[in-house]
Amino acid sequence: MTKDILIHQIVDVLKRANFVVSKRCNIRPRSFDITARKDDILIFCKALYNIDGLNEETAQEMKSLAKYLDGSALIVGAKTRNQMLEDGVVYIRYGIPALNVQTLYDYFVESVPPLVSAAPGGLYVSIDGDVLREARMSVSMSIGTIASQLGVSRRTISKYEEGGMDASIDIALQLEELFDVALAKSIDLLEFFDNKLQEDEENNEYETKPPEDNILNLISTLGYDVLSTNQAPFRGVSKKDTDVILTGVSKYCNSMIKRAELMSSISNVTGSQSVFIIKDQCNLKSESFDSTVFIKRDELNKLSDPEDLLQLIEERMKNNN
């Protein structure tokens, strides 16, 4: 399977689930391949035939963008190491859920969430501790008796009931057979990602660095919070309250126009503005392309607050229409 085929399958699934999908990011490097939105769900999706090809820097940028724009990050692939990804199984790479196309289809089209997660040592499920405790007490069975029958420690069964430990598939099936009740908890991919971000924050692993780019710093002095990017088709994301601007920085050239077209598509999906700051002195043939506005650096220097920038963007969008 080529990456082109994989991305085509991902887009097909998301469109069948009634997502609006952006154009494919066809630049290098790229932290994500497509963005997609459905109602209040925003996804940054990266396609990797082998999910082990994800590196930490790319994962960190995906997570930063998703957090900054109130979205989620997903990896969709086909294999890990020397084996194919299994249907209904969630794999984790640097805190981002990774899955195959079938699992993506089941989750978004069929509304059937996965139950199994992959971790070092095998496949595991999360046990619903309340259901397990209620089932055990309904037949007056002690924790020790269950532990003896399953060949595990009393502490292990206690942790299952407390929700503090996942169980192997074999143990989970034995428990369900013993009590004739479903115990495996489904995995909400989007909530799972949000929880991983929260864990990163608690462990001080999530960090938004101040912009190093001089132009992004200039936007920051206007009163915007600015997230710098290294692998996205834009140089950063500028945010002030509910106003979000995908911000490109470049000389005026043909490759910039191609990026502007891609940024327009992404901004339409993310519900943001799209702006390219032109670094060099030149005569602009147009003040915008698609829904991306062009602003010269000397024009930016004359602005004094966020309202000035928004007004300039609005004026140029009207001229474009």
Side-chain angles (χ1 to χ4, degrees), residues 302-318:
K302 297 175 183 177
L303 304 181
S304 58
D305 54 45
E307 288 71 25
D308 288 346
L309 179 56
L310 292 176
Q311 183 177 352
L312 182 57
I313 294 172
E314 184 177 351
E315 289 174 354
R316 298 210 165 157
M317 286 301 297
K318 286 181 179 178

Side-chain angles (χ1 to χ4, degrees), residues 36-316:
R37 179 181 286 280
K38 177 182 178 182
D39 300 325
D40 60 346
I41 300 174
L42 174 63
I43 298 171
F44 289 85
C45 180
K46 187 165 185 66
L48 288 170
Y49 179 72
N50 188 325
I51 62 173
D52 299 320
L54 182 71
N55 61 58
E56 187 172 4
E57 180 183 2
T58 298
Q60 182 59 43
E61 182 159 305
M62 285 185 70
K63 291 191 288 185
S64 297
L65 283 169
K67 178 178 174 61
Y68 212 63
L69 296 174
D70 297 321
S72 301
L74 289 178
I75 306 296
V76 181
K79 66 175 294 185
T80 174
R81 299 183 181 88
N82 295 319
Q83 63 184 28
M84 305 305 290
L85 301 185
E86 296 191 35
D87 296 346
V89 177
V90 178
Y91 302 76
I92 313 300
R93 292 297 179 270
Y94 298 108
I96 301 177
L99 56 153
N100 66 12
V101 173
Q102 182 61 52
T103 307
L104 184 76
Y105 177 89
D106 292 340
Y107 183 79
F108 284 116
V109 178
E110 299 293 340
S111 298
V112 178
L115 297 174
V116 182
S117 62
L123 302 177
Y124 297 87
V125 297
S126 179
I127 298 294
D128 190 322
D130 293 335
V131 174
L132 174 59
R133 185 182 302 105
E134 183 177 337
R136 177 178 64 79
M137 296 181 68
S138 68
V139 295
S140 301
M141 185 177 291
S142 69
I143 288 178
T145 300
I146 299 175
S148 178
Q149 290 194 27
L150 269 61
V152 299
S153 68
R154 291 168 53 90
R155 180 58 181 159
T156 295
I157 302 300
S158 294
K159 284 191 174 183
Y160 291 159
E161 291 192 354
E162 295 166 1
M165 177 187 290
D166 289 344
S168 68
I169 292 180
D170 180 59
I171 292 295
L173 290 174
Q174 289 185 61
L175 283 170
E176 290 186 340
E177 182 177 356
L178 180 63
F179 295 110
D180 192 25
V181 64
L183 294 172
K185 294 172 65 176
S186 60
I187 301 172
D188 186 326
L189 295 175
L190 306 182
E191 181 179 345
F192 178 91
F193 176 75
D194 289 341
N195 290 339
K196 284 295 182 182
L197 279 186
Q198 186 175 350
E199 289 178 10
D200 286 351
E201 288 181 328
E202 292 173 353
N203 295 329
N204 295 319
E205 295 177 8
Y206 178 86
E207 181 182 5
T208 302
K209 297 180 180 179
E212 298 179 1
D213 186 282
N214 291 334
I215 292 180
L216 292 183
N217 267 319
L218 186 58
I219 295 175
S220 179
T221 62
L222 292 177
Y224 284 89
D225 293 322
V226 180
L227 172 71
S228 298
T229 59
N230 293 317
Q231 301 181 34
F234 38 84
R235 187 66 186 85
V237 182
S238 307
K239 186 164 67 171
K240 173 68 174 177
D241 300 325
T242 58
D243 297 316
V244 179
I245 304 173
L246 304 185
T247 312
V249 179
S250 175
K251 294 182 178 180
Y252 191 84
C253 58
N254 289 333
S255 63
M256 187 215 71
I257 298 298
K258 292 180 180 179
R259 284 179 178 262
E261 182 179 14
L262 179 55
M263 283 173 57
S264 296
S265 176
I266 295 171
S267 69
N268 290 337
V269 170
T270 58
S272 58
Q273 300 279 352
S274 179
V275 172
F276 241 114
I277 308 300
I278 310 301
K279 295 194 296 184
D280 56 332
Q281 296 294 328
C282 63
N283 294 320
L284 297 178
K285 297 178 182 179
S286 173
E287 292 182 334
S288 63
F289 182 86
D290 203 342
S291 58
T292 298
V293 167
F294 300 151
I295 298 175
K296 293 182 180 181
R297 177 170 183 166
D298 58 357
E299 293 177 307
L300 186 65
N301 287 332
K302 297 175 183 177
L303 304 181
S304 58
D305 54 45
E307 288 71 25
D308 288 346
L309 179 56
L310 292 176
Q311 183 177 352
L312 182 57
I313 294 172
E314 184 177 351
E315 289 174 354
R316 298 210 165 157

Side-chain angles (χ1 to χ4, degrees), residues 15-28:
K15 286 186 174 180
R16 291 186 66 175
N18 298 317
F19 277 82
V20 176
V21 184
S22 72
K23 292 180 181 294
R24 174 182 173 180
C25 294
N26 52 3
I27 60 171
R28 291 181 180 273

